[in-house]
mmCIF file of all heavy atoms in Angstrom:
data_model
loop_
_atom_site.group_PDB
_atom_site.id
_atom_site.type_symbol
_atom_site.label_atom_id
_atom_site.label_comp_id
_atom_site.label_asym_id
_atom_site.label_seq_id
_atom_site.Cartn_x
_atom_site.Cartn_y
_atom_site.Cartn_z
ATOM 1 N N MET A 134 86.798 106.480 103.060
ATOM 2 C CA MET A 134 88.061 107.154 102.817
ATOM 3 C C MET A 134 87.801 108.270 101.795
ATOM 4 O O MET A 134 87.245 108.031 100.729
ATOM 5 C CB MET A 134 89.067 106.137 102.296
ATOM 6 C CG MET A 134 90.357 106.708 101.818
ATOM 7 S SD MET A 134 91.579 105.443 101.427
ATOM 8 C CE MET A 134 92.445 105.416 102.957
ATOM 9 N N THR A 135 88.206 109.481 102.165
ATOM 10 C CA THR A 135 87.988 110.621 101.273
ATOM 11 C C THR A 135 89.027 110.634 100.154
ATOM 12 O O THR A 135 90.074 109.979 100.249
ATOM 13 C CB THR A 135 88.083 111.947 102.052
ATOM 14 O OG1 THR A 135 89.433 112.118 102.480
ATOM 15 C CG2 THR A 135 87.140 111.973 103.236
ATOM 16 N N ALA A 136 88.739 111.400 99.121
ATOM 17 C CA ALA A 136 89.672 111.529 98.002
ATOM 18 C C ALA A 136 91.010 112.114 98.465
ATOM 19 O O ALA A 136 92.070 111.719 97.986
ATOM 20 C CB ALA A 136 89.060 112.399 96.907
ATOM 21 N N SER A 137 90.941 113.020 99.420
ATOM 22 C CA SER A 137 92.161 113.623 99.960
ATOM 23 C C SER A 137 93.025 112.579 100.672
ATOM 24 O O SER A 137 94.248 112.558 100.522
ATOM 25 C CB SER A 137 91.798 114.758 100.919
ATOM 26 O OG SER A 137 92.944 115.289 101.514
ATOM 27 N N GLU A 138 92.376 111.708 101.449
ATOM 28 C CA GLU A 138 93.110 110.647 102.140
ATOM 29 C C GLU A 138 93.746 109.675 101.142
ATOM 30 O O GLU A 138 94.870 109.220 101.343
ATOM 31 C CB GLU A 138 92.180 109.878 103.080
ATOM 32 C CG GLU A 138 91.723 110.671 104.277
ATOM 33 C CD GLU A 138 90.620 109.980 105.052
ATOM 34 O OE1 GLU A 138 89.749 109.334 104.444
ATOM 35 O OE2 GLU A 138 90.647 110.092 106.291
ATOM 36 N N VAL A 139 93.019 109.384 100.075
ATOM 37 C CA VAL A 139 93.555 108.495 99.035
ATOM 38 C C VAL A 139 94.802 109.117 98.410
ATOM 39 O O VAL A 139 95.823 108.453 98.246
ATOM 40 C CB VAL A 139 92.490 108.193 97.957
ATOM 41 C CG1 VAL A 139 93.107 107.492 96.755
ATOM 42 C CG2 VAL A 139 91.361 107.354 98.539
ATOM 43 N N ARG A 140 94.719 110.406 98.070
ATOM 44 C CA ARG A 140 95.871 111.088 97.462
ATOM 45 C C ARG A 140 97.059 111.137 98.417
ATOM 46 O O ARG A 140 98.199 110.920 98.014
ATOM 47 C CB ARG A 140 95.490 112.493 97.012
ATOM 48 C CG ARG A 140 94.668 112.529 95.749
ATOM 49 C CD ARG A 140 94.506 113.946 95.209
ATOM 50 N NE ARG A 140 93.954 114.869 96.193
ATOM 51 C CZ ARG A 140 92.660 115.077 96.381
ATOM 52 N NH1 ARG A 140 91.773 114.431 95.672
ATOM 53 N NH2 ARG A 140 92.246 115.948 97.287
ATOM 54 N N THR A 141 96.784 111.412 99.707
ATOM 55 C CA THR A 141 97.857 111.483 100.696
ATOM 56 C C THR A 141 98.548 110.140 100.848
ATOM 57 O O THR A 141 99.782 110.047 100.814
ATOM 58 C CB THR A 141 97.307 111.959 102.056
ATOM 59 O OG1 THR A 141 96.741 113.256 101.887
ATOM 60 C CG2 THR A 141 98.391 111.999 103.107
ATOM 61 N N ARG A 142 97.757 109.083 101.021
ATOM 62 C CA ARG A 142 98.359 107.749 101.149
ATOM 63 C C ARG A 142 99.035 107.327 99.850
ATOM 64 O O ARG A 142 100.063 106.663 99.868
ATOM 65 C CB ARG A 142 97.306 106.725 101.536
ATOM 66 C CG ARG A 142 96.971 106.769 103.010
ATOM 67 C CD ARG A 142 96.413 105.441 103.420
ATOM 68 N NE ARG A 142 95.940 105.466 104.788
ATOM 69 C CZ ARG A 142 95.945 104.415 105.564
ATOM 70 N NH1 ARG A 142 96.347 103.256 105.113
ATOM 71 N NH2 ARG A 142 95.510 104.493 106.780
ATOM 72 N N GLY A 143 98.455 107.721 98.721
ATOM 73 C CA GLY A 143 99.067 107.403 97.430
ATOM 74 C C GLY A 143 100.428 108.061 97.278
ATOM 75 O O GLY A 143 101.377 107.448 96.782
ATOM 76 N N ALA A 144 100.531 109.299 97.723
ATOM 77 C CA ALA A 144 101.822 109.997 97.668
ATOM 78 C C ALA A 144 102.840 109.324 98.574
ATOM 79 O O ALA A 144 104.011 109.160 98.212
ATOM 80 C CB ALA A 144 101.644 111.459 98.057
ATOM 81 N N ARG A 145 102.386 108.908 99.782
ATOM 82 C CA ARG A 145 103.290 108.198 100.701
ATOM 83 C C ARG A 145 103.735 106.864 100.112
ATOM 84 O O ARG A 145 104.904 106.482 100.229
ATOM 85 C CB ARG A 145 102.594 107.944 102.042
ATOM 86 C CG ARG A 145 102.810 109.060 103.010
ATOM 87 C CD ARG A 145 102.380 108.627 104.387
ATOM 88 N NE ARG A 145 101.134 109.331 104.671
ATOM 89 C CZ ARG A 145 100.156 108.886 105.413
ATOM 90 N NH1 ARG A 145 100.217 107.719 105.985
ATOM 91 N NH2 ARG A 145 99.091 109.610 105.606
ATOM 92 N N LEU A 146 102.799 106.155 99.476
ATOM 93 C CA LEU A 146 103.134 104.875 98.857
ATOM 94 C C LEU A 146 104.111 105.075 97.702
ATOM 95 O O LEU A 146 105.081 104.327 97.569
ATOM 96 C CB LEU A 146 101.871 104.164 98.382
ATOM 97 C CG LEU A 146 102.079 102.828 97.670
ATOM 98 C CD1 LEU A 146 102.808 101.833 98.567
ATOM 99 C CD2 LEU A 146 100.750 102.271 97.193
ATOM 100 N N ALA A 147 103.894 106.079 96.883
ATOM 101 C CA ALA A 147 104.801 106.355 95.766
ATOM 102 C C ALA A 147 106.213 106.637 96.267
ATOM 103 O O ALA A 147 107.191 106.135 95.714
ATOM 104 C CB ALA A 147 104.282 107.543 94.945
ATOM 105 N N GLU A 148 106.323 107.415 97.325
ATOM 106 C CA GLU A 148 107.635 107.721 97.901
ATOM 107 C C GLU A 148 108.286 106.452 98.454
ATOM 108 O O GLU A 148 109.478 106.208 98.253
ATOM 109 C CB GLU A 148 107.503 108.763 99.006
ATOM 110 C CG GLU A 148 108.825 109.182 99.603
ATOM 111 C CD GLU A 148 108.662 110.266 100.658
ATOM 112 O OE1 GLU A 148 107.721 111.062 100.569
ATOM 113 O OE2 GLU A 148 109.504 110.294 101.578
ATOM 114 N N ALA A 149 107.496 105.628 99.144
ATOM 115 C CA ALA A 149 108.024 104.378 99.703
ATOM 116 C C ALA A 149 108.489 103.435 98.595
ATOM 117 O O ALA A 149 109.518 102.766 98.732
ATOM 118 C CB ALA A 149 106.957 103.698 100.557
ATOM 119 N N LEU A 150 107.742 103.393 97.496
ATOM 120 C CA LEU A 150 108.141 102.548 96.371
ATOM 121 C C LEU A 150 109.426 103.061 95.728
ATOM 122 O O LEU A 150 110.297 102.270 95.358
ATOM 123 C CB LEU A 150 107.015 102.482 95.334
ATOM 124 C CG LEU A 150 105.787 101.671 95.751
ATOM 125 C CD1 LEU A 150 104.645 101.916 94.779
ATOM 126 C CD2 LEU A 150 106.116 100.200 95.851
ATOM 127 N N ASP A 151 109.536 104.378 95.589
ATOM 128 C CA ASP A 151 110.760 104.962 95.022
ATOM 129 C C ASP A 151 111.980 104.584 95.856
ATOM 130 O O ASP A 151 113.055 104.337 95.318
ATOM 131 C CB ASP A 151 110.661 106.486 94.939
ATOM 132 C CG ASP A 151 109.803 106.963 93.782
ATOM 133 O OD1 ASP A 151 109.588 106.178 92.834
ATOM 134 O OD2 ASP A 151 109.350 108.122 93.830
ATOM 135 N N GLU A 152 111.803 104.546 97.185
ATOM 136 C CA GLU A 152 112.909 104.221 98.085
ATOM 137 C C GLU A 152 113.051 102.715 98.292
ATOM 138 O O GLU A 152 113.993 102.274 98.959
ATOM 139 C CB GLU A 152 112.688 104.903 99.430
ATOM 140 C CG GLU A 152 112.723 106.410 99.335
ATOM 141 C CD GLU A 152 112.320 107.082 100.633
ATOM 142 O OE1 GLU A 152 112.163 106.382 101.656
ATOM 143 O OE2 GLU A 152 112.145 108.311 100.622
ATOM 144 N N ALA A 153 112.094 101.936 97.751
ATOM 145 C CA ALA A 153 112.067 100.474 97.929
ATOM 146 C C ALA A 153 112.127 100.106 99.413
ATOM 147 O O ALA A 153 112.873 99.237 99.822
ATOM 148 C CB ALA A 153 113.183 99.794 97.137
ATOM 149 N N ASP A 154 111.314 100.798 100.209
ATOM 150 C CA ASP A 154 111.276 100.618 101.666
ATOM 151 C C ASP A 154 110.066 99.759 102.042
ATOM 152 O O ASP A 154 108.935 100.257 102.093
ATOM 153 C CB ASP A 154 111.184 101.988 102.335
ATOM 154 C CG ASP A 154 111.178 101.920 103.843
ATOM 155 O OD1 ASP A 154 111.027 100.814 104.414
ATOM 156 O OD2 ASP A 154 111.309 102.990 104.461
ATOM 157 N N PRO A 155 110.266 98.458 102.313
ATOM 158 C CA PRO A 155 109.136 97.574 102.592
ATOM 159 C C PRO A 155 108.306 97.994 103.810
ATOM 160 O O PRO A 155 107.087 97.856 103.800
ATOM 161 C CB PRO A 155 109.767 96.206 102.825
ATOM 162 C CG PRO A 155 111.217 96.340 102.617
ATOM 163 C CD PRO A 155 111.539 97.772 102.361
ATOM 164 N N ASP A 156 108.938 98.512 104.843
ATOM 165 C CA ASP A 156 108.193 98.943 106.029
ATOM 166 C C ASP A 156 107.286 100.125 105.714
ATOM 167 O O ASP A 156 106.139 100.183 106.160
ATOM 168 C CB ASP A 156 109.144 99.298 107.174
ATOM 169 C CG ASP A 156 109.882 98.083 107.704
ATOM 170 O OD1 ASP A 156 109.310 96.969 107.672
ATOM 171 O OD2 ASP A 156 111.036 98.249 108.150
ATOM 172 N N ALA A 157 107.783 101.067 104.933
ATOM 173 C CA ALA A 157 106.978 102.231 104.560
ATOM 174 C C ALA A 157 105.850 101.833 103.603
ATOM 175 O O ALA A 157 104.752 102.397 103.659
ATOM 176 C CB ALA A 157 107.856 103.303 103.925
ATOM 177 N N ILE A 158 106.109 100.859 102.735
ATOM 178 C CA ILE A 158 105.064 100.362 101.824
ATOM 179 C C ILE A 158 103.942 99.729 102.646
ATOM 180 O O ILE A 158 102.762 100.016 102.433
ATOM 181 C CB ILE A 158 105.645 99.364 100.806
ATOM 182 C CG1 ILE A 158 106.607 100.081 99.849
ATOM 183 C CG2 ILE A 158 104.523 98.673 100.026
ATOM 184 C CD1 ILE A 158 107.447 99.155 98.995
ATOM 185 N N ARG A 159 104.308 98.870 103.599
ATOM 186 C CA ARG A 159 103.310 98.244 104.475
ATOM 187 C C ARG A 159 102.526 99.299 105.251
ATOM 188 O O ARG A 159 101.305 99.201 105.398
ATOM 189 C CB ARG A 159 103.985 97.289 105.453
ATOM 190 C CG ARG A 159 104.220 95.941 104.890
ATOM 191 C CD ARG A 159 104.698 94.972 105.978
ATOM 192 N NE ARG A 159 105.690 94.089 105.397
ATOM 193 C CZ ARG A 159 106.991 94.230 105.465
ATOM 194 N NH1 ARG A 159 107.515 95.206 106.146
ATOM 195 N NH2 ARG A 159 107.788 93.378 104.870
ATOM 196 N N ALA A 160 103.223 100.301 105.761
ATOM 197 C CA ALA A 160 102.573 101.355 106.542
ATOM 198 C C ALA A 160 101.563 102.133 105.695
ATOM 199 O O ALA A 160 100.487 102.494 106.180
ATOM 200 C CB ALA A 160 103.607 102.295 107.134
ATOM 201 N N ALA A 161 101.905 102.379 104.435
ATOM 202 C CA ALA A 161 101.014 103.142 103.558
ATOM 203 C C ALA A 161 99.725 102.374 103.271
ATOM 204 O O ALA A 161 98.679 102.982 103.027
ATOM 205 C CB ALA A 161 101.730 103.487 102.253
ATOM 206 N N LEU A 162 99.786 101.047 103.307
ATOM 207 C CA LEU A 162 98.622 100.225 102.984
ATOM 208 C C LEU A 162 97.957 99.615 104.217
ATOM 209 O O LEU A 162 96.907 98.977 104.108
ATOM 210 C CB LEU A 162 99.033 99.110 102.016
ATOM 211 C CG LEU A 162 99.552 99.587 100.664
ATOM 212 C CD1 LEU A 162 100.100 98.416 99.862
ATOM 213 C CD2 LEU A 162 98.461 100.319 99.902
ATOM 214 N N SER A 163 98.540 99.838 105.377
ATOM 215 C CA SER A 163 98.057 99.231 106.616
ATOM 216 C C SER A 163 96.627 99.661 106.939
ATOM 217 O O SER A 163 96.277 100.844 106.837
ATOM 218 C CB SER A 163 98.987 99.628 107.764
ATOM 219 O OG SER A 163 98.493 99.130 108.978
ATOM 220 N N GLY A 164 95.819 98.696 107.336
ATOM 221 C CA GLY A 164 94.472 98.987 107.791
ATOM 222 C C GLY A 164 93.460 99.282 106.707
ATOM 223 O O GLY A 164 92.333 99.665 107.002
ATOM 224 N N LEU A 165 93.831 99.109 105.454
ATOM 225 C CA LEU A 165 92.914 99.395 104.354
ATOM 226 C C LEU A 165 92.192 98.139 103.901
ATOM 227 O O LEU A 165 92.731 97.038 103.972
ATOM 228 C CB LEU A 165 93.679 99.976 103.158
ATOM 229 C CG LEU A 165 94.426 101.278 103.387
ATOM 230 C CD1 LEU A 165 95.152 101.688 102.121
ATOM 231 C CD2 LEU A 165 93.480 102.368 103.835
ATOM 232 N N THR A 166 90.991 98.331 103.402
ATOM 233 C CA THR A 166 90.284 97.229 102.759
ATOM 234 C C THR A 166 90.933 97.018 101.386
ATOM 235 O O THR A 166 91.646 97.909 100.886
ATOM 236 C CB THR A 166 88.798 97.559 102.555
ATOM 237 O OG1 THR A 166 88.686 98.629 101.615
ATOM 238 C CG2 THR A 166 88.118 97.919 103.878
ATOM 239 N N PRO A 167 90.705 95.876 100.751
ATOM 240 C CA PRO A 167 91.272 95.674 99.411
ATOM 241 C C PRO A 167 90.863 96.775 98.417
ATOM 242 O O PRO A 167 91.681 97.236 97.623
ATOM 243 C CB PRO A 167 90.718 94.310 98.992
ATOM 244 C CG PRO A 167 90.546 93.577 100.284
ATOM 245 C CD PRO A 167 90.068 94.646 101.252
ATOM 246 N N ARG A 168 89.624 97.204 98.482
ATOM 247 C CA ARG A 168 89.159 98.259 97.559
ATOM 248 C C ARG A 168 89.882 99.583 97.826
ATOM 249 O O ARG A 168 90.286 100.287 96.903
ATOM 250 C CB ARG A 168 87.656 98.442 97.684
ATOM 251 C CG ARG A 168 87.076 99.389 96.652
ATOM 252 C CD ARG A 168 85.568 99.437 96.750
ATOM 253 N NE ARG A 168 84.986 98.126 96.560
ATOM 254 C CZ ARG A 168 84.470 97.692 95.411
ATOM 255 N NH1 ARG A 168 84.463 98.480 94.372
ATOM 256 N NH2 ARG A 168 83.955 96.498 95.327
ATOM 257 N N GLN A 169 90.058 99.920 99.105
ATOM 258 C CA GLN A 169 90.779 101.142 99.458
ATOM 259 C C GLN A 169 92.237 101.037 99.026
ATOM 260 O O GLN A 169 92.808 102.006 98.513
ATOM 261 C CB GLN A 169 90.695 101.405 100.956
ATOM 262 C CG GLN A 169 89.330 101.799 101.442
ATOM 263 C CD GLN A 169 89.240 101.824 102.950
ATOM 264 O OE1 GLN A 169 89.872 101.033 103.648
ATOM 265 N NE2 GLN A 169 88.421 102.732 103.486
ATOM 266 N N ALA A 170 92.856 99.880 99.240
ATOM 267 C CA ALA A 170 94.256 99.686 98.843
ATOM 268 C C ALA A 170 94.405 99.858 97.334
ATOM 269 O O ALA A 170 95.389 100.439 96.868
ATOM 270 C CB ALA A 170 94.741 98.306 99.282
ATOM 271 N N LEU A 171 93.443 99.368 96.566
ATOM 272 C CA LEU A 171 93.494 99.536 95.119
ATOM 273 C C LEU A 171 93.428 101.007 94.742
ATOM 274 O O LEU A 171 94.182 101.469 93.881
ATOM 275 C CB LEU A 171 92.350 98.762 94.459
ATOM 276 C CG LEU A 171 92.260 98.860 92.947
ATOM 277 C CD1 LEU A 171 93.533 98.326 92.288
ATOM 278 C CD2 LEU A 171 91.048 98.092 92.443
ATOM 279 N N ARG A 172 92.561 101.757 95.409
ATOM 280 C CA ARG A 172 92.469 103.200 95.139
ATOM 281 C C ARG A 172 93.790 103.898 95.457
ATOM 282 O O ARG A 172 94.242 104.775 94.709
ATOM 283 C CB ARG A 172 91.322 103.818 95.935
ATOM 284 C CG ARG A 172 89.946 103.388 95.435
ATOM 285 C CD ARG A 172 88.826 103.935 96.280
ATOM 286 N NE ARG A 172 88.784 105.392 96.210
ATOM 287 C CZ ARG A 172 88.195 106.141 97.114
ATOM 288 N NH1 ARG A 172 87.611 105.607 98.168
ATOM 289 N NH2 ARG A 172 88.200 107.446 96.996
ATOM 290 N N VAL A 173 94.415 103.510 96.569
ATOM 291 C CA VAL A 173 95.695 104.109 96.961
ATOM 292 C C VAL A 173 96.780 103.738 95.946
ATOM 293 O O VAL A 173 97.584 104.589 95.558
ATOM 294 C CB VAL A 173 96.083 103.674 98.393
ATOM 295 C CG1 VAL A 173 97.520 104.037 98.714
ATOM 296 C CG2 VAL A 173 95.135 104.303 99.402
ATOM 297 N N CYS A 174 96.799 102.496 95.492
ATOM 298 C CA CYS A 174 97.787 102.081 94.484
ATOM 299 C C CYS A 174 97.604 102.851 93.185
ATOM 300 O O CYS A 174 98.578 103.253 92.543
ATOM 301 C CB CYS A 174 97.697 100.578 94.225
ATOM 302 S SG CYS A 174 98.340 99.589 95.579
ATOM 303 N N ARG A 175 96.367 103.060 92.797
ATOM 304 C CA ARG A 175 96.104 103.854 91.583
ATOM 305 C C ARG A 175 96.581 105.294 91.762
ATOM 306 O O ARG A 175 97.159 105.882 90.847
ATOM 307 C CB ARG A 175 94.623 103.821 91.241
ATOM 308 C CG ARG A 175 94.185 102.487 90.682
ATOM 309 C CD ARG A 175 92.717 102.488 90.364
ATOM 310 N NE ARG A 175 92.327 101.230 89.753
ATOM 311 C CZ ARG A 175 91.095 100.777 89.740
ATOM 312 N NH1 ARG A 175 90.123 101.480 90.306
ATOM 313 N NH2 ARG A 175 90.820 99.624 89.164
ATOM 314 N N ALA A 176 96.356 105.853 92.954
ATOM 315 C CA ALA A 176 96.829 107.219 93.230
ATOM 316 C C ALA A 176 98.354 107.265 93.212
ATOM 317 O O ALA A 176 98.947 108.240 92.732
ATOM 318 C CB ALA A 176 96.292 107.706 94.570
ATOM 319 N N ALA A 177 99.002 106.218 93.720
ATOM 320 C CA ALA A 177 100.471 106.163 93.695
ATOM 321 C C ALA A 177 100.976 106.097 92.266
ATOM 322 O O ALA A 177 101.975 106.738 91.923
ATOM 323 C CB ALA A 177 100.969 104.964 94.496
ATOM 324 N N ALA A 178 100.287 105.329 91.426
ATOM 325 C CA ALA A 178 100.692 105.241 90.017
ATOM 326 C C ALA A 178 100.597 106.608 89.346
ATOM 327 O O ALA A 178 101.494 107.005 88.598
ATOM 328 C CB ALA A 178 99.833 104.214 89.277
ATOM 329 N N VAL A 179 99.537 107.335 89.625
ATOM 330 C CA VAL A 179 99.390 108.689 89.077
ATOM 331 C C VAL A 179 100.534 109.571 89.560
ATOM 332 O O VAL A 179 101.138 110.318 88.776
ATOM 333 C CB VAL A 179 98.018 109.286 89.460
ATOM 334 C CG1 VAL A 179 97.962 110.773 89.145
ATOM 335 C CG2 VAL A 179 96.901 108.539 88.750
ATOM 336 N N ALA A 180 100.868 109.464 90.843
ATOM 337 C CA ALA A 180 101.954 110.273 91.414
ATOM 338 C C ALA A 180 103.296 109.932 90.787
ATOM 339 O O ALA A 180 104.200 110.774 90.749
ATOM 340 C CB ALA A 180 102.021 110.081 92.925
ATOM 341 N N GLN A 181 103.436 108.699 90.286
ATOM 342 C CA GLN A 181 104.694 108.274 89.664
ATOM 343 C C GLN A 181 104.674 108.413 88.145
ATOM 344 O O GLN A 181 105.551 107.902 87.474
ATOM 345 C CB GLN A 181 105.016 106.825 90.036
ATOM 346 C CG GLN A 181 105.457 106.654 91.454
ATOM 347 C CD GLN A 181 105.938 105.245 91.728
ATOM 348 O OE1 GLN A 181 105.463 104.282 91.157
ATOM 349 N NE2 GLN A 181 106.896 105.135 92.626
ATOM 350 N N GLY A 182 103.669 109.067 87.619
ATOM 351 C CA GLY A 182 103.636 109.300 86.185
ATOM 352 C C GLY A 182 102.926 108.208 85.399
ATOM 353 O O GLY A 182 103.140 108.067 84.202
ATOM 354 N N GLY A 183 102.079 107.431 86.052
ATOM 355 C CA GLY A 183 101.254 106.476 85.336
ATOM 356 C C GLY A 183 101.611 105.009 85.512
ATOM 357 O O GLY A 183 100.840 104.146 85.139
ATOM 358 N N ARG A 184 102.775 104.701 86.080
ATOM 359 C CA ARG A 184 103.156 103.299 86.316
ATOM 360 C C ARG A 184 103.788 103.176 87.688
ATOM 361 O O ARG A 184 104.555 104.041 88.103
ATOM 362 C CB ARG A 184 104.171 102.834 85.274
ATOM 363 C CG ARG A 184 103.572 102.677 83.888
ATOM 364 C CD ARG A 184 104.547 102.039 82.962
ATOM 365 N NE ARG A 184 104.843 100.693 83.404
ATOM 366 C CZ ARG A 184 104.674 99.621 82.648
ATOM 367 N NH1 ARG A 184 104.201 99.737 81.452
ATOM 368 N NH2 ARG A 184 105.001 98.441 83.100
ATOM 369 N N LEU A 185 103.457 102.076 88.375
ATOM 370 C CA LEU A 185 104.109 101.829 89.672
ATOM 371 C C LEU A 185 105.526 101.360 89.446
ATOM 372 O O LEU A 185 105.763 100.473 88.632
ATOM 373 C CB LEU A 185 103.338 100.764 90.466
ATOM 374 C CG LEU A 185 101.985 101.200 91.010
ATOM 375 C CD1 LEU A 185 101.317 100.018 91.709
ATOM 376 C CD2 LEU A 185 102.135 102.352 91.971
ATOM 377 N N ARG A 186 106.461 101.988 90.135
ATOM 378 C CA ARG A 186 107.868 101.634 90.016
ATOM 379 C C ARG A 186 108.449 101.427 91.409
ATOM 380 O O ARG A 186 108.150 102.177 92.321
ATOM 381 C CB ARG A 186 108.647 102.740 89.314
ATOM 382 C CG ARG A 186 108.288 102.900 87.856
ATOM 383 C CD ARG A 186 109.079 104.025 87.201
ATOM 384 N NE ARG A 186 108.870 105.320 87.841
ATOM 385 C CZ ARG A 186 107.833 106.103 87.623
ATOM 386 N NH1 ARG A 186 106.877 105.746 86.824
ATOM 387 N NH2 ARG A 186 107.736 107.256 88.233
ATOM 388 N N ILE A 187 109.273 100.412 91.566
ATOM 389 C CA ILE A 187 109.986 100.186 92.821
ATOM 390 C C ILE A 187 111.460 100.489 92.568
ATOM 391 O O ILE A 187 112.080 99.862 91.714
ATOM 392 C CB ILE A 187 109.830 98.744 93.324
ATOM 393 C CG1 ILE A 187 108.377 98.459 93.663
ATOM 394 C CG2 ILE A 187 110.714 98.513 94.551
ATOM 395 C CD1 ILE A 187 108.110 97.046 94.105
ATOM 396 N N GLY A 188 111.965 101.463 93.253
ATOM 397 C CA GLY A 188 113.377 101.812 93.105
ATOM 398 C C GLY A 188 113.762 102.179 91.688
ATOM 399 O O GLY A 188 114.886 101.984 91.269
ATOM 400 N N GLY A 189 112.818 102.690 90.915
ATOM 401 C CA GLY A 189 113.103 103.107 89.550
ATOM 402 C C GLY A 189 112.733 102.082 88.495
ATOM 403 O O GLY A 189 112.622 102.408 87.328
ATOM 404 N N GLY A 190 112.508 100.817 88.860
ATOM 405 C CA GLY A 190 112.118 99.788 87.895
ATOM 406 C C GLY A 190 110.616 99.691 87.786
ATOM 407 O O GLY A 190 109.889 100.078 88.695
ATOM 408 N N ASP A 191 110.089 99.184 86.682
ATOM 409 C CA ASP A 191 108.661 99.052 86.480
ATOM 410 C C ASP A 191 108.140 97.733 87.025
ATOM 411 O O ASP A 191 108.828 96.713 86.971
ATOM 412 C CB ASP A 191 108.314 99.096 84.987
ATOM 413 C CG ASP A 191 108.400 100.498 84.420
ATOM 414 O OD1 ASP A 191 108.305 101.455 85.196
ATOM 415 O OD2 ASP A 191 108.542 100.615 83.186
ATOM 416 N N LEU A 192 106.933 97.766 87.550
ATOM 417 C CA LEU A 192 106.203 96.540 87.895
ATOM 418 C C LEU A 192 105.303 96.238 86.704
ATOM 419 O O LEU A 192 104.329 96.917 86.484
ATOM 420 C CB LEU A 192 105.306 96.764 89.131
ATOM 421 C CG LEU A 192 105.960 96.823 90.473
ATOM 422 C CD1 LEU A 192 104.911 97.093 91.541
ATOM 423 C CD2 LEU A 192 106.637 95.507 90.795
ATOM 424 N N ALA A 193 105.639 95.262 85.940
ATOM 425 C CA ALA A 193 104.809 94.985 84.762
ATOM 426 C C ALA A 193 104.372 93.555 84.716
ATOM 427 O O ALA A 193 104.790 92.654 85.280
ATOM 428 C CB ALA A 193 105.576 95.310 83.498
#
């Protein structure tokens, strides 16, 4: 998975988390290995300003 693909999926995941859309969250992570999913989650956190948030709340 290229860095560009990670950023793209991370942006999609961040948007899905903002909307709290479980289907879109699953789609953003579908078909990834655990290591790839972690990279995408980290990219989503960066896109959200450093913390993963679902519908505006923090996952802590």
Side-chain angles (χ1 to χ4, degrees):
M134 172 172 265
T135 67
S137 176
E138 291 170 323
V139 169
R140 284 189 305 272
T141 300
R142 281 203 186 210
R145 270 193 253 149
L146 178 59
E148 183 177 330
L150 289 168
D151 283 340
E152 295 172 8
D154 182 349
D156 293 328
I158 293 168
R159 276 189 217 97
L162 297 172
S163 176
L165 300 179
T166 66
R168 187 175 301 261
Q169 290 170 326
L171 179 60
R172 290 176 64 201
V173 168
C174 288
R175 287 180 177 158
V179 169
Q181 287 188 328
R184 290 188 64 123
L185 289 177
R186 292 179 301 279
I187 296 177
D191 285 338
L192 285 178

